[in-house]
Amino acid sequence: MEESRSLSFREDVRSLLFRLLLSVVSAREPFLAAVLNGDEPLDRLDKQQRICALQATGIWFQLVAIANELLAMRARRELEQVGGADEIVGSFSNVVGEIAAAGYPAEAVQLVLDQLSIGPTMTAHPTEAKRVTVLEIHRRIYRKLTELEQHRWAPRERDQHVADLTSEIELLWMSGELRLERPSVEREIAWGLHFFREVIFEATPRIYDTAQEALARHYPDYNLKVPSFLQFASWIGGDRDGNPNVTAETTAYALDACRQAIIGWYIQQVRRLVTVLSVSANVVDIPEAFGQALERLLRATSSASAISARNPGEPLRQFAAAMLERLRAMRSESLAEPYARADSFRADLIGLENALVKLGGATVARRLVRPLRQQVESFGFRTVALDIRQNSTVVNRVLAELFKLAAGAEAPEPESPQWGARIRAGLQSGERPAFEREALSDEARELIDLFEVIREASADPSGGAIGAFILSMTRSSDDLLAVYLIAQYCGLATASDGSGTLNLRVVPLFETIADLRAAPDILDQLLGLSIVRRSVREFGSRQEVMLGYSDSNKDGGFLASNWELSKAQRRITALGQKRKVKISFFHGRGGSVSRGGAPTGRAIAAQPAGTIDGVMRVTEQGEVVSSKFANRGTGLYQLEILAASVFAHSVKSPNESELKDIPEFNEALEALTGMSQASYSGLIREPGFIDYFNQASPVEELSLLKIGSRPARRFGARDISDLRAIPWVFAWSQNRHLITNWYGIGSALNAFVTVRGEAGLDLLRQMFERSRFFRLIIDEVDKGLYQSDMEIGGLYASLVQDREAGERIYRKIAAEYELTCRMIGQVNGGLALSERFPAFKRHFDQTRPQMDAIHRLQVQLLREVRSQDGKGASPKRAVNALLLSINCISAGLGWTG
């Protein structure tokens, strides 16, 4: 431990973690020291040494990510210590300061605050390659590193902290990286709730405090009010699109698990209030109104006398104890009257908060009671609003079956005029036929059971447990109306004659480029139906629209996807204004850039002006959840960046020059998009491309990774159109092609300049300087190119059995890569790749040498695993080594899909 005593407060945590890892692995496998030091490349090791080497390298990549997270937090703290909170770019203090400096009046700021609603939505998309056990060890390592940074430790105490860190790294080594079995949906639900219990419940009220403090500092003459604007949602247990493991029973389980999680949290917090609220009636004068409220609350318990006797002369403690009994009754742990509504619990907390303020305990109220009241406003008795997602194909198939059963004859064909007329007639008349459960197919029975679960949850007086019914692959208004009609059949309509409303928010998900282009017309037709307009009015005259980044990218490439998404938002917003309906957008973003995973602040700032207007939802998918919410400091920062960015865009975007529609820029983007999509489509249609994709990447082997409860394909087909976007992106990242990030853009830029000459290049440079949207595209392409590697890609191309096709397609990709690198440099002023992003470049460079060796080894492993003659299983060690290599590459990149 002598070495640890020399550690200074400022020591680079990466050096410490590397030395500790080296000590752990070298004691077990001495050859690993040379591997970790870079003296012995992984691809040159004996077969017996591969798994240990990959495991050690994977752990190192994980430790690097933890160190980078800690160092980023340290850098933000140092910046704030020197220059104040305003120096943290994207923070509430920073954006409110800019808003105030720009002269925006307090009234305009309050108007945005009043309608602010931000919905981080957790999903269990199978992009988290790390086991939950491993994530928990990571969290303990992060915590121990933060403790180690404290000044107060004596050398002996510091030694103990270092020993604790070493033990956690030993646990990482012994725990193993691979899941032994595919996680159940129930385990995914528990995984999602883990982040709420550990970080999100506590972080949420602190976000409100941060916003309030920023407003008070920059608008000192105004009493601006911050609402509880975070409203979390989840797909975990509700997303059944292509996942047969999510059933109606699973959804009911998810609803109950989410309810129990938040009630358990409230019990824990109120129990704390019982412990600390030792206010004595002998010292202060208790307000009469509070005394009356206490009597009412005690009457709702079964133990009023016991509570009074246990806490004599301490009315605030009695009040908290009575609340505790009512909460415990919600779990059948008390005979008290349980809270029926979260609003009732909130009202009691407000009463306690006001009493403390009147007694001179404003600080106590602010620190102990207000955070709990704000949590109730954000989480209710539900934790999250559980979204339901299903594919339009399934919904239409079930409705056709129900039509046939009701009429005793063949149903109209979906997408036919008769189909749409039949749906509209059913909605207008309020029809609700009875069906014999035994007569239904398994698929229809399951969907009907789901709507029964929705109906029962919607009847809960506390409300809010069910979020939206999201219809993936929405291609027509009939698709959406089919959901309305089935919901009506299942008792979710408020009137039996078609004159009422539907107690369910139905949200279209527009995913492909064709669907994004059709979206305004689809919504116009939808809102033309009276039951839809009435139902939307009941939900605040707001229609939510979900936008898919993944499939539109797979459909047309990175530029086409983002431009069509941008145009769709503007057109849909204009349609909402015409229909006098507010439109809010739900962005289905993933971890990778090609799935919308650009930095949160920049991505939101580049959205079209006026399209957020205070309300935004965004998915937090797979590994993104753990990267953002595994640790409290990072979780706070990520939530603040999200919320502050939405707030800033809502206030400023109508007046920002970088978001203004400039016809010349739009015309150029239309031309660039067309050329980019043509180039991308040309690659996809290249003869032999599907075989190239399957053989030059580990896409088929990804299914062996037990990283999610759902299959990689929606309906079991074997072509690219049906492949989920996650394995599509995952596979192209594993072989370092990363075509989903950049392919086609070089050709588009080059053709534009070739046709328009210097004037065209000058226009592109102006767009880079003056258009926030275009600059974001160019910058993210820049970063994608930096992570791509055509030399490594060529190794994977050599796996293609048809050598002519493999070489031809690889040359096409490599040529486009070189062209795109050159054109990006011309547009951004001749900068080297990622020169604008030194932190990104530095982080990737830390792992690049080891990653290159892992790629070379992965190619060898793919050959070995695929060389089996089919008479028996591939050697287990080779398969496990291959799966570990996939995990290592994901960890090195920092994302999977």
Side-chain angles (χ1 to χ4, degrees), residues 564-609:
E564 293 298 338
L565 284 160
S566 180
K567 289 195 300 180
Q569 288 177 76
R570 291 197 294 268
R571 292 175 62 210
I572 292 170
T573 299
L575 181 278
Q577 292 168 349
K578 184 187 87 170
R579 285 286 188 179
K580 295 182 172 53
V581 169
K582 299 173 185 175
I583 299 291
S584 60
F585 292 104
F586 180 8
H587 296 259
R589 302 172 67 219
S592 64
V593 171
S594 47
R595 298 187 65 238
T600 300
R602 293 195 68 198
I604 292 173
Q607 297 303 313

Side-chain angles (χ1 to χ4, degrees), residues 106-127:
E107 294 77 12
V109 171
Q110 187 64 65
L111 192 63
V112 171
L113 287 169
D114 289 343
Q115 61 188 8
L116 201 60
S117 178
I118 300 162
T121 302
M122 309 300 171
T123 81
H125 279 57
T127 59

Side-chain angles (χ1 to χ4, degrees), residues 609-628:
T611 58
I612 293 180
D613 198 25
V615 182
M616 185 180 188
R617 277 221 283 160
V618 60
T619 51
E620 305 287 4
Q621 299 183 3
E623 84 280 6
V624 174
V625 177
S626 56
S627 68
K628 287 185 176 181

Side-chain angles (χ1 to χ4, degrees), residues 39 54 59 78 89 142 173 234 265 307 372 393 404 441 460 495 534 599 613 622 727 774 795 830 886:
D39 299 326
L54 285 166
I59 290 173
E78 290 175 348
V89 175
Y142 181 91
W173 176 262
S234 176
W265 175 266
I307 291 173
L372 181 54
T393 303
K404 182 178 179 180
S441 67
D460 186 333
R534 291 194 300 268
D613 198 25
F774 187 68
L795 299 177
I886 292 171

Side-chain angles (χ1 to χ4, degrees), residues 454-473:
I454 294 172
R455 184 180 59 78
E456 291 175 10
S458 300
D460 186 333
S462 189
I466 294 293
F469 190 107
I470 296 166
L471 189 67
S472 63
M473 292 299 169

Side-chain angles (χ1 to χ4, degrees), residues 563 566-567 569-571 574 606-611 653-667 669 770-773:
W563 181 235
S566 180
K567 289 195 300 180
Q569 288 177 76
R570 291 197 294 268
R571 292 175 62 210
Q607 297 303 313
T611 58
S653 70
N655 301 312
E656 290 188 289
S657 60
E658 289 189 331
L659 293 179
K660 288 191 180 300
D661 266 344
I662 299 176
E664 189 179 15
F665 289 5
N666 291 346
E667 179 190 351
L669 280 164
R770 297 168 52 196
S771 167
R772 195 174 290 165
F773 170 83

Side-chain angles (χ1 to χ4, degrees), residues 398-470:
V398 169
L399 184 57
E401 180 180 337
L402 298 180
F403 281 161
K404 182 178 179 180
L405 285 173
E410 287 297 321
E413 281 294 318
E415 301 183 22
S416 69
Q418 295 81 6
W419 174 261
R422 176 69 182 86
I423 293 174
R424 285 165 172 77
L427 287 169
Q428 189 172 4
S429 66
E431 72 177 22
R432 188 180 172 186
F435 300 101
E436 291 293 333
R437 182 178 172 80
E438 293 72 20
L440 299 172
S441 67
D442 290 344
E443 183 176 61
R445 192 180 305 118
E446 172 57 38
L447 189 59
I448 296 299
D449 287 347
L450 168 64
F451 275 99
E452 288 297 318
V453 170
I454 294 172
R455 184 180 59 78
E456 291 175 10
S458 300
D460 186 333
S462 189
I466 294 293
F469 190 107
I470 296 166

